[in-house]
């Protein structure tokens, strides 16, 4: 595969992965319901993304660092919504 | 940072990110409810992870290829549960 195409696929993969929680945030704000969303999904994801941030620092890769920092911020919003709008948050 | 620690952090980040949807799957199977889960979260995530698989093939990285293939499989299960247990699946 040509390098430019591989790089483009990598960038697209990052954009999709980072932005995947945005529709969930929009839905949660609109419905004010997050009962069926697992808080462990969000917590495990934030830990994983946080480790990617550390990894980005470790290998001095600014793309990994910035993309995952944005993803941590987005999923922290989702975590707040989960706790705020859930009858039983720890579920 | 020593290379061994950076590599370990990378592996841990991958394990957390790949396994983050598992608690959501367990919760959805138990409650048989996925109304509050956004189908677009799952679809955008599967597209992003699928692109990572292609990226893994492009740069010949077996770890990226295998980790993201597993993640695509896990999130496809979640997509099926979302459609099966949701009153209004396209939400």
């Amino acid at each position: 595969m040509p390098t430019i195409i591989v790089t483009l696929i990598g960038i697209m993969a990052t954009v999709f992965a980072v932005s995947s929680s945005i529709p969930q945030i929009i839905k949660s704000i609109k419905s004010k319901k997050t009962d069926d969303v697992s808080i462990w999904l969000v917590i495990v994801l934030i830990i994983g993304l946080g480790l990617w941030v550390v990894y980005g620092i470790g290998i001095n890769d600014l793309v990994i660092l910035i993309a995952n920092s944005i993803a941590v911020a987005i999923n922290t919003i989702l975590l707040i919504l989960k706790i705020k709008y859930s009858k039983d948050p720890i579920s």
Side-chain angles (χ1 to χ4, degrees), chain A residues 8-43:
Chain A
L8 274 175
I9 290 171
I11 293 169
M12 281 172 62
T14 308
V15 170
F16 272 89
V18 168
S19 60
S20 65
S21 294
I22 294 175
Q24 181 65 59
I25 289 174
I26 295 171
K27 181 180 168 76
S28 301
I29 290 173
K30 276 190 187 167
S31 70
K32 296 193 196 310
K33 274 189 204 162
T34 53
D35 291 304
D36 305 340
V37 178
S38 168
I39 196 164
W40 301 111
L41 161 79
V42 189
I43 290 174

Short mmCIF file of all heavy atoms in Angstrom, two decimals, chain A residues 8-43:
data_model
loop_
_atom_site.label_atom_id
_atom_site.label_comp_id
_atom_site.label_asym_id
_atom_site.label_seq_id
_atom_site.Cartn_x
_atom_site.Cartn_y
_atom_site.Cartn_z
N LEU A 8 -3.19 8.33 5.53
CA LEU A 8 -4.57 8.84 5.49
C LEU A 8 -5.53 7.92 6.24
O LEU A 8 -6.40 8.38 6.97
CB LEU A 8 -5.03 8.99 4.03
CG LEU A 8 -4.66 10.30 3.33
CD1 LEU A 8 -5.08 10.26 1.87
CD2 LEU A 8 -5.36 11.49 4.04
N ILE A 9 -5.35 6.60 6.04
CA ILE A 9 -6.21 5.62 6.74
C ILE A 9 -5.99 5.75 8.25
O ILE A 9 -6.96 5.73 9.02
CB ILE A 9 -5.92 4.18 6.24
CG1 ILE A 9 -6.43 4.02 4.80
CG2 ILE A 9 -6.59 3.14 7.14
CD1 ILE A 9 -6.01 2.72 4.13
N GLY A 10 -4.74 5.92 8.67
CA GLY A 10 -4.42 6.10 10.10
C GLY A 10 -5.10 7.34 10.67
O GLY A 10 -5.66 7.30 11.77
N ILE A 11 -5.07 8.45 9.90
CA ILE A 11 -5.71 9.69 10.36
C ILE A 11 -7.23 9.50 10.45
O ILE A 11 -7.85 9.87 11.44
CB ILE A 11 -5.35 10.87 9.40
CG1 ILE A 11 -3.85 11.19 9.52
CG2 ILE A 11 -6.18 12.11 9.71
CD1 ILE A 11 -3.33 12.13 8.46
N MET A 12 -7.82 8.88 9.41
CA MET A 12 -9.27 8.63 9.43
C MET A 12 -9.66 7.73 10.59
O MET A 12 -10.67 7.97 11.27
CB MET A 12 -9.71 7.99 8.11
CG MET A 12 -9.87 8.98 6.97
SD MET A 12 -10.16 8.12 5.40
CE MET A 12 -11.71 7.29 5.73
N ALA A 13 -8.86 6.69 10.85
CA ALA A 13 -9.13 5.77 11.95
C ALA A 13 -9.13 6.53 13.28
O ALA A 13 -10.00 6.32 14.13
CB ALA A 13 -8.07 4.65 11.98
N THR A 14 -8.16 7.43 13.44
CA THR A 14 -8.07 8.23 14.67
C THR A 14 -9.29 9.13 14.83
O THR A 14 -9.89 9.20 15.90
CB THR A 14 -6.78 9.09 14.65
OG1 THR A 14 -5.67 8.23 14.37
CG2 THR A 14 -6.55 9.79 15.97
N VAL A 15 -9.67 9.83 13.73
CA VAL A 15 -10.82 10.73 13.78
C VAL A 15 -12.09 9.96 14.16
O VAL A 15 -12.84 10.38 15.05
CB VAL A 15 -11.01 11.46 12.42
CG1 VAL A 15 -12.33 12.21 12.38
CG2 VAL A 15 -9.84 12.40 12.15
N PHE A 16 -12.32 8.81 13.54
CA PHE A 16 -13.51 8.01 13.85
C PHE A 16 -13.49 7.54 15.31
O PHE A 16 -14.47 7.69 16.03
CB PHE A 16 -13.61 6.79 12.91
CG PHE A 16 -14.33 7.09 11.63
CD1 PHE A 16 -13.65 7.57 10.52
CD2 PHE A 16 -15.71 6.92 11.53
CE1 PHE A 16 -14.30 7.85 9.33
CE2 PHE A 16 -16.37 7.20 10.35
CZ PHE A 16 -15.67 7.67 9.24
N ALA A 17 -12.34 6.99 15.75
CA ALA A 17 -12.25 6.44 17.11
C ALA A 17 -12.44 7.55 18.15
O ALA A 17 -13.17 7.37 19.12
CB ALA A 17 -10.90 5.74 17.29
N VAL A 18 -11.79 8.71 17.91
CA VAL A 18 -11.87 9.81 18.87
C VAL A 18 -13.29 10.37 18.95
O VAL A 18 -13.79 10.71 20.01
CB VAL A 18 -10.85 10.92 18.52
CG1 VAL A 18 -11.12 12.19 19.30
CG2 VAL A 18 -9.43 10.43 18.77
N SER A 19 -13.97 10.46 17.78
CA SER A 19 -15.28 11.11 17.75
C SER A 19 -16.44 10.16 18.02
O SER A 19 -17.60 10.59 18.09
CB SER A 19 -15.49 11.81 16.40
OG SER A 19 -15.43 10.87 15.36
N SER A 20 -16.15 8.86 18.24
CA SER A 20 -17.25 7.89 18.36
C SER A 20 -18.19 8.15 19.54
O SER A 20 -19.37 7.81 19.48
CB SER A 20 -16.70 6.46 18.42
OG SER A 20 -15.95 6.28 19.59
N SER A 21 -17.69 8.78 20.60
CA SER A 21 -18.55 9.02 21.77
C SER A 21 -19.44 10.26 21.61
O SER A 21 -20.36 10.46 22.40
CB SER A 21 -17.71 9.17 23.04
OG SER A 21 -17.07 7.95 23.34
N ILE A 22 -19.17 11.09 20.59
CA ILE A 22 -19.95 12.33 20.42
C ILE A 22 -21.45 12.04 20.18
O ILE A 22 -22.29 12.65 20.85
CB ILE A 22 -19.33 13.22 19.31
CG1 ILE A 22 -17.95 13.72 19.79
CG2 ILE A 22 -20.24 14.40 18.98
CD1 ILE A 22 -17.18 14.51 18.75
N PRO A 23 -21.81 11.10 19.26
CA PRO A 23 -23.25 10.82 19.12
C PRO A 23 -23.90 10.33 20.43
O PRO A 23 -25.06 10.63 20.69
CB PRO A 23 -23.32 9.74 18.03
CG PRO A 23 -21.92 9.32 17.76
CD PRO A 23 -21.01 10.38 18.26
N GLN A 24 -23.12 9.59 21.25
CA GLN A 24 -23.66 9.13 22.54
C GLN A 24 -23.92 10.32 23.46
O GLN A 24 -24.95 10.36 24.16
CB GLN A 24 -22.68 8.15 23.18
CG GLN A 24 -23.15 7.59 24.52
CD GLN A 24 -24.40 6.73 24.38
OE1 GLN A 24 -24.39 5.74 23.68
NE2 GLN A 24 -25.48 7.12 25.05
N ILE A 25 -23.02 11.30 23.45
CA ILE A 25 -23.19 12.50 24.28
C ILE A 25 -24.43 13.27 23.84
O ILE A 25 -25.26 13.66 24.66
CB ILE A 25 -21.91 13.38 24.22
CG1 ILE A 25 -20.77 12.67 24.96
CG2 ILE A 25 -22.17 14.77 24.81
CD1 ILE A 25 -19.43 13.36 24.87
N ILE A 26 -24.57 13.47 22.51
CA ILE A 26 -25.74 14.19 21.97
C ILE A 26 -27.04 13.48 22.37
O ILE A 26 -27.98 14.10 22.85
CB ILE A 26 -25.62 14.33 20.43
CG1 ILE A 26 -24.40 15.20 20.08
CG2 ILE A 26 -26.90 14.91 19.83
CD1 ILE A 26 -24.05 15.22 18.60
N LYS A 27 -27.06 12.16 22.17
CA LYS A 27 -28.25 11.37 22.52
C LYS A 27 -28.58 11.49 24.01
O LYS A 27 -29.75 11.68 24.39
CB LYS A 27 -28.01 9.90 22.15
CG LYS A 27 -29.20 8.97 22.44
CD LYS A 27 -28.85 7.55 22.04
CE LYS A 27 -29.87 6.56 22.56
NZ LYS A 27 -31.13 6.56 21.81
N SER A 28 -27.54 11.40 24.87
CA SER A 28 -27.74 11.45 26.32
C SER A 28 -28.26 12.81 26.77
O SER A 28 -29.11 12.90 27.65
CB SER A 28 -26.43 11.14 27.05
OG SER A 28 -25.96 9.86 26.68
N ILE A 29 -27.75 13.89 26.15
CA ILE A 29 -28.21 15.24 26.50
C ILE A 29 -29.67 15.42 26.09
O ILE A 29 -30.49 15.94 26.84
CB ILE A 29 -27.31 16.32 25.84
CG1 ILE A 29 -25.92 16.30 26.49
CG2 ILE A 29 -27.94 17.71 25.97
CD1 ILE A 29 -24.89 17.20 25.82
N LYS A 30 -30.00 14.94 24.87
CA LYS A 30 -31.38 15.07 24.36
C LYS A 30 -32.37 14.28 25.21
O LYS A 30 -33.41 14.79 25.60
CB LYS A 30 -31.45 14.56 22.91
CG LYS A 30 -31.04 15.59 21.88
CD LYS A 30 -31.38 15.06 20.49
CE LYS A 30 -30.85 15.98 19.40
NZ LYS A 30 -30.91 15.32 18.09
N SER A 31 -32.04 13.01 25.52
CA SER A 31 -33.00 12.14 26.20
C SER A 31 -32.95 12.28 27.72
O SER A 31 -33.86 11.88 28.41
CB SER A 31 -32.75 10.68 25.81
OG SER A 31 -31.54 10.22 26.39
N LYS A 32 -31.85 12.87 28.23
CA LYS A 32 -31.59 12.93 29.66
C LYS A 32 -31.68 11.55 30.32
O LYS A 32 -32.10 11.40 31.47
CB LYS A 32 -32.54 13.91 30.37
CG LYS A 32 -32.38 15.36 29.93
CD LYS A 32 -33.11 16.30 30.88
CE LYS A 32 -33.34 17.69 30.33
NZ LYS A 32 -32.17 18.36 29.75
N LYS A 33 -31.30 10.51 29.56
CA LYS A 33 -31.32 9.14 30.09
C LYS A 33 -30.02 8.43 29.73
O LYS A 33 -29.61 8.41 28.57
CB LYS A 33 -32.48 8.35 29.47
CG LYS A 33 -33.80 8.54 30.20
CD LYS A 33 -34.80 7.55 29.64
CE LYS A 33 -36.22 8.00 29.84
NZ LYS A 33 -37.14 7.28 28.95
N THR A 34 -29.38 7.85 30.75
CA THR A 34 -28.16 7.09 30.49
C THR A 34 -28.16 5.77 31.25
O THR A 34 -27.12 5.16 31.46
CB THR A 34 -26.90 7.91 30.89
OG1 THR A 34 -27.05 8.35 32.25
CG2 THR A 34 -26.68 9.10 29.99
N ASP A 35 -29.38 5.33 31.64
CA ASP A 35 -29.48 4.10 32.45
C ASP A 35 -28.86 2.88 31.77
O ASP A 35 -28.25 2.05 32.44
CB ASP A 35 -30.95 3.80 32.76
CG ASP A 35 -31.52 4.82 33.73
OD1 ASP A 35 -30.93 4.97 34.81
OD2 ASP A 35 -32.53 5.46 33.40
N ASP A 36 -29.03 2.77 30.44
CA ASP A 36 -28.57 1.56 29.75
C ASP A 36 -27.10 1.63 29.35
O ASP A 36 -26.55 0.65 28.83
CB ASP A 36 -29.42 1.31 28.48
CG ASP A 36 -30.91 1.23 28.80
OD1 ASP A 36 -31.23 0.98 29.97
OD2 ASP A 36 -31.73 1.43 27.89
N VAL A 37 -26.45 2.79 29.60
CA VAL A 37 -25.02 2.91 29.27
C VAL A 37 -24.22 2.38 30.46
O VAL A 37 -24.46 2.76 31.60
CB VAL A 37 -24.64 4.38 28.98
CG1 VAL A 37 -23.15 4.50 28.68
CG2 VAL A 37 -25.47 4.94 27.83
N SER A 38 -23.27 1.49 30.21
CA SER A 38 -22.43 0.95 31.30
C SER A 38 -21.38 1.96 31.71
O SER A 38 -20.62 2.46 30.89
CB SER A 38 -21.74 -0.34 30.82
OG SER A 38 -20.74 -0.71 31.75
N ILE A 39 -21.35 2.27 33.03
CA ILE A 39 -20.33 3.21 33.52
C ILE A 39 -18.94 2.61 33.35
O ILE A 39 -17.95 3.33 33.16
CB ILE A 39 -20.60 3.60 35.00
CG1 ILE A 39 -19.77 4.86 35.37
CG2 ILE A 39 -20.28 2.45 35.97
CD1 ILE A 39 -20.21 5.55 36.64
N TRP A 40 -18.84 1.27 33.36
CA TRP A 40 -17.53 0.60 33.22
C TRP A 40 -17.00 0.73 31.81
O TRP A 40 -15.78 0.75 31.61
CB TRP A 40 -17.62 -0.85 33.69
CG TRP A 40 -18.04 -0.91 35.12
CD1 TRP A 40 -19.23 -1.36 35.62
CD2 TRP A 40 -17.31 -0.40 36.25
NE1 TRP A 40 -19.27 -1.19 36.97
CE2 TRP A 40 -18.11 -0.59 37.39
CE3 TRP A 40 -16.06 0.20 36.40
CZ2 TRP A 40 -17.71 -0.21 38.67
CZ3 TRP A 40 -15.66 0.59 37.66
CH2 TRP A 40 -16.47 0.38 38.78
N LEU A 41 -17.91 0.78 30.83
CA LEU A 41 -17.48 1.07 29.45
C LEU A 41 -16.72 2.38 29.44
O LEU A 41 -15.59 2.46 28.93
CB LEU A 41 -18.71 1.19 28.52
CG LEU A 41 -18.51 1.91 27.18
CD1 LEU A 41 -17.84 1.02 26.15
CD2 LEU A 41 -19.81 2.44 26.61
N VAL A 42 -17.32 3.42 30.04
CA VAL A 42 -16.74 4.76 30.00
C VAL A 42 -15.45 4.83 30.83
O VAL A 42 -14.44 5.38 30.38
CB VAL A 42 -17.77 5.81 30.50
CG1 VAL A 42 -17.24 7.20 30.24
CG2 VAL A 42 -19.11 5.62 29.82
N ILE A 43 -15.46 4.21 32.03
CA ILE A 43 -14.28 4.26 32.91
C ILE A 43 -13.10 3.51 32.28
O ILE A 43 -11.98 4.03 32.22
CB ILE A 43 -14.62 3.71 34.32
CG1 ILE A 43 -15.56 4.69 35.05
CG2 ILE A 43 -13.34 3.47 35.13
CD1 ILE A 43 -16.09 4.19 36.38
#
